[in-house]
Amino acid sequence: MNAYVPLLVMIVAAFFLAIAGLVLSAILSPNRYNRVKLENYECGVEATPTAGPSSRFPVKYYLTAMTFIIFDIEVVFLYPWAVSFEELGMFGMVAMLTFIVLITVPFVYEWRRGGLEWD
């Protein structure tokens, strides 16, 4: 039981600091709202009052974000491989080369289609 006391103290301290930060920011922050602050912000695209469900919205922002997230998460899988490279041997090398090829093919496809160019 004594081994868990420092962990419990850290959890309680973190919880207290998080709650205290939220309460202090709510009390001390300026509350000057105006029309511009309360408007929706959609990735730099000006909100139009005539935009309805039938109007077209540029999805390039979302596609760029999804592309970044997909390739970023896939590259994170390289870290455990790099740490255990010597233990995995030739099997690990072949598996990681296959993985890198599977990452590179859609990346080149995206690059060729112009998905990484910002207009």
Side-chain angles (χ1 to χ4, degrees), residues 32-75:
R32 289 180 233 124
Y33 297 111
N34 57 23
R35 187 177 65 82
V36 175
K37 268 189 169 181
L38 296 175
E39 270 187 15
N40 291 336
Y41 179 72
E42 294 290 340
C43 304
V45 176
E46 291 291 327
T48 57
T50 59
S54 63
S55 67
R56 298 186 72 180
F57 184 78
V59 295
K60 182 144 179 107
Y61 303 105
Y62 300 114
L63 292 177
T64 304
M66 288 189 320
T67 302
F68 170 75
I69 290 170
I70 288 170
F71 288 117
D72 188 45
I73 289 172
E74 287 178 350
V75 169

Side-chain angles (χ1 to χ4, degrees), residues 12-116:
V12 169
F15 183 74
F16 174 74
L17 285 174
I19 298 299
L22 289 172
V23 169
L24 283 175
S25 69
I27 293 171
L28 299 176
S29 66
N31 294 326
R32 289 180 233 124
Y33 297 111
N34 57 23
R35 187 177 65 82
V36 175
K37 268 189 169 181
L38 296 175
E39 270 187 15
N40 291 336
Y41 179 72
E42 294 290 340
C43 304
V45 176
E46 291 291 327
T48 57
T50 59
S54 63
S55 67
R56 298 186 72 180
F57 184 78
V59 295
K60 182 144 179 107
Y61 303 105
Y62 300 114
L63 292 177
T64 304
M66 288 189 320
T67 302
F68 170 75
I69 290 170
I70 288 170
F71 288 117
D72 188 45
I73 289 172
E74 287 178 350
V75 169
V76 167
F77 286 122
L78 293 173
Y79 291 120
W81 172 75
V83 170
S84 61
F85 176 71
E86 290 182 3
E87 292 87 23
L88 293 175
M90 187 54 78
F91 172 75
M93 184 68 159
V94 170
M96 194 48 61
L97 284 175
T98 305
F99 181 72
I100 289 173
V101 166
L102 290 175
I103 290 174
T104 306
V105 169
F107 180 71
V108 170
Y109 175 74
E110 182 84 16
W111 189 1
R112 292 269 184 165
R113 288 197 65 214
L116 302 177

